[in-house]
Amino acid sequence: MILLFFRKSAVACKTCESLIFSERCPWDKNKTKDAFGPGDLNAMFERIVSNQEWIDRGLAILSRDPWVVTIDNFTSYQECDKLIKFGESRGFERSEDVGDKKPDGSYDSIASEARTSLNSWCDQQCLSDPLS
């Protein structure tokens, strides 16, 4: 069974509260927690640099203040091949920049001469694959 729900388009009616981003997605700075508390970021990097799997993959600490690390073999050849195959099956698209803000609060995307890369998104099949 497929259930579809439609409502008036905020763009079409130009009267809906959904046009006002702060009404549609309220955010109270006083009620939200920071993603990292004091010392959390340092603790995260300490866990990373002491993890044997990352060490075995070629982890190197370039600096601890600020933290700068490299991991030579961040992905294995098998993981890379799998991600490339997923990308090929979905198709690669030209990377885009953020464009103008739309009435509904989202943004258009625009092609840019500066961004010439291609990308593909990891869908549910990709996310559920243990190698990717």
Side-chain angles (χ1 to χ4, degrees), residues 71-109:
I71 303 173
D72 290 336
N73 299 303
F74 185 78
T75 54
S76 68
Y77 289 115
Q78 294 85 0
E79 291 165 332
C80 287
D81 287 343
K82 190 68 153 185
L83 289 169
I84 291 167
K85 286 178 184 165
F86 274 123
E88 288 171 343
S89 70
R90 289 202 78 225
F92 291 99
E93 298 174 2
R94 172 89 182 261
S95 300
E96 295 180 320
D97 283 332
V98 175
D100 293 331
K101 190 173 186 177
K102 296 189 224 177
D104 68 356
S106 64
Y107 289 86
D108 276 324
S109 56

Side-chain angles (χ1 to χ4, degrees), residues 94-98 109-118:
R94 172 89 182 261
S95 300
E96 295 180 320
D97 283 332
V98 175
S109 56
I110 56 171
S112 163
E113 289 184 26
R115 295 191 71 189
T116 58
S117 62
L118 300 174

Side-chain angles (χ1 to χ4, degrees), residues 33-93:
K33 271 181 68 176
D34 290 336
F36 293 102
D40 287 350
L41 196 57
N42 187 62
M44 179 191 73
F45 272 99
E46 289 292 350
R47 280 192 308 275
I48 291 169
V49 300
S50 63
N51 182 303
Q52 191 61 48
E53 181 180 358
W54 294 125
I55 294 167
D56 292 345
R57 287 184 179 227
L59 181 136
I61 301 169
L62 305 180
S63 171
R64 288 182 180 260
D65 187 23
W67 275 103
V68 179
V69 299
T70 60
I71 303 173
D72 290 336
N73 299 303
F74 185 78
T75 54
S76 68
Y77 289 115
Q78 294 85 0
E79 291 165 332
C80 287
D81 287 343
K82 190 68 153 185
L83 289 169
I84 291 167
K85 286 178 184 165
F86 274 123
E88 288 171 343
S89 70
R90 289 202 78 225
F92 291 99
E93 298 174 2

